């Protein structure tokens, strides 16, 4: 239960904890149909490179050995599709996302790629997963955790559904720490992304939220501490593209 008066961030705004998910859902409802195009434009295709680095770390078996991936906040399915491409016939992915509009785009993309036998889409909340304990061989979450109101709950749910000996991987925007690049990134984020969002999706505010939420997300060392507090061991991270993105990893032992 939320305590009365408990607040959190929605971008730069302080909002009641209980309101954040509705605000986040409005963002992804608004942008779902053009979400993939905007990702390509905003990151100039780099998001696919970051996602492939996550798939390399995941390293799913290329054989018929069964391997069950849970991709939370999986949206339109990029991580699941790329993992399926890298894996063998024993691979199965469940994409879990709270937003039916994002999932609908994902289902269409899976059918177009003839991946519907290996990738399924399930509506659900990262904070309270409707899966049994120790059900999955890996848990991924890409650019999702920063949108979840109670990150600690999402992390303990990740731990609960993973089999012992399996891995948690999280790709998230981070803090640019390269002199020169930091100012350029700041300018690009605040001056280019919201107007681009307006031009492509008709919605600048959702992309203003995106850039603000990135600034509010904990720095890698602090987030690694949260992952440890969720029960994970051998926690580490790798910064990518000058700190634009960080790949976090932890193991359920
Ligand atoms: C930026 S998108 C990332 C989608 C995909 N992982 C990718 O990398 O392209 C963030 C996703 O998080 C989902 N999301 C937000 N809050 C969530 C929650 N509490 N539980 C599950 N999914 C959530 C949104 O619906 C949205 O699809």
């Amino acid at each position: 239960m939320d305590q009365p008066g408990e607040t959190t961030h929605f971008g730069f705004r302080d909002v009641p904890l209980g309101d954040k998910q509705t605000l986040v859902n409005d963002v992804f409802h608004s942008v779902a149909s053009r979400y993939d195009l905007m990702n390509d434009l905003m990151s100039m295709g780099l998001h696919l490179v970051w996602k492939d680095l996550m798939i390399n770390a995941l390293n799913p078996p290329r054989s018929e050995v069964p391997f069950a991936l849970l991709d939370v906040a999986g949206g339109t399915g990029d991580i699941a599709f790329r993992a399926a491409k890298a894996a063998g016939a024993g691979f199965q992915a469940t994409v879990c996302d709270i937003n039916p509009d994002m999932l609908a785009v994902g289902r269409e993309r899976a059918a177009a790629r003839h991946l519907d036998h290996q990738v399924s889409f399930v509506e659900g909340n990262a904070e309270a997963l409707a899966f049994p304990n120790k059900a999955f061989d890996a848990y991924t979450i890409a650019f999702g955790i920063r949108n979840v109101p109670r990150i600690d709950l999402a992390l303990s749910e990740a731990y609960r559904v993973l089999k012992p000996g399996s891995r948690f991987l999280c790709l998230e925007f981070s803090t640019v720490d390269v002199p020169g690049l930091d100012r350029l990134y700041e300018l690009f984020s605040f001056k280019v992304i919201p107007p681009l969002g307006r031009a492509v999706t008709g919605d600048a505010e959702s992309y203003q939220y995106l850039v603000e939420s990135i600034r509010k997300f904990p720095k890698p060392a602090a987030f690694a501490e949260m992952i440890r507090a969720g029960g994970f061991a051998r926690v580490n991270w790798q910064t990518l593209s000058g700190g634009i993105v960080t790949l976090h990893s932890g193991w359920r032992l």
Side-chain angles (χ1 to χ4, degrees):
M1 275 289 283
D2 300 342
Q3 300 305 311
E6 239 185 309
T7 60
T8 188
H9 300 295
F10 175 74
F12 288 165
R13 275 162 60 195
D14 280 334
V15 296
L17 185 57
D19 291 359
K20 174 163 171 169
Q21 190 69 65
T22 309
L23 292 162
V24 165
N25 293 351
D26 289 347
V27 165
F28 291 101
H29 166 72
S30 163
V31 305
S33 63
R34 316 223 85 191
Y35 172 80
D36 295 306
L37 173 62
M38 258 311 273
N39 271 355
D40 291 343
L41 294 174
M42 274 185 316
S43 74
M44 294 171 261
L46 266 178
H47 74 110
L48 296 175
V49 176
W50 298 325
K51 286 170 178 165
D52 279 345
L53 290 168
M54 185 187 228
I55 304 305
N56 280 348
L58 180 69
N59 193 22
R62 283 154 185 76
S63 65
E64 293 188 356
V65 173
F67 186 86
L69 168 69
L70 178 63
D71 182 42
V72 173
T76 60
D78 267 356
I79 293 297
F81 302 152
R82 298 181 99 74
K85 207 172 135 206
F91 177 85
Q92 285 290 331
T94 304
V95 176
C96 172
D97 196 286
I98 204 164
N99 196 303
D101 303 301
M102 295 290 279
L103 290 170
V105 176
R107 283 192 190 100
E108 269 177 34
R109 295 176 83 209
R113 288 167 165 75
H114 307 290
L115 281 173
D116 19 14
H117 62 294
Q118 275 189 307
V119 179
S120 56
F121 291 82
V122 177
E123 196 176 318
N125 189 337
E127 295 178 355
L129 295 172
F131 304 108
N133 296 346
K134 303 180 187 174
F136 293 96
D137 297 293
Y139 175 117
T140 49
I141 182 162
F143 308 114
I145 202 128
R146 132 190 131 258
N147 298 293
V148 175
R150 300 163 192 85
I151 292 175
D152 53 336
L153 289 187
L155 291 170
S156 45
E157 279 291 86
Y159 186 87
R160 181 182 68 74
V161 300
L162 276 173
K163 295 177 188 170
S166 53
R167 194 170 191 185
F168 165 86
L169 285 165
C170 173
L171 202 55
E172 193 47 271
F173 290 108
S174 193
T175 311
V176 173
D177 50 13
V178 177
L181 180 64
D182 50 0
R183 294 201 47 206
L184 209 63
Y185 181 64
E186 197 71 4
L187 268 174
F188 181 75
S189 299
F190 286 93
K191 300 286 181 219
V192 177
I193 290 182
L196 186 64
R198 179 182 292 114
V200 175
T201 69
D203 178 357
E205 264 179 43
S206 289
Y207 285 92
Q208 183 69 29
Y209 159 71
L210 168 89
V211 293
E212 292 180 2
S213 65
I214 291 170
R215 297 306 178 281
K216 285 290 186 187
F217 191 69
K219 293 210 178 352
F223 185 55
E225 215 31 70
M226 293 172 75
I227 297 173
R228 272 186 211 103
F232 291 98
R234 291 165 55 194
V235 173
N236 61 34
W237 74 86
Q238 182 189 353
T239 52
L240 310 171
S241 306
I244 295 176
V245 165
T246 298
L247 177 61
H248 290 271
S249 164
W251 292 82
R252 173 169 182 170
L253 296 182

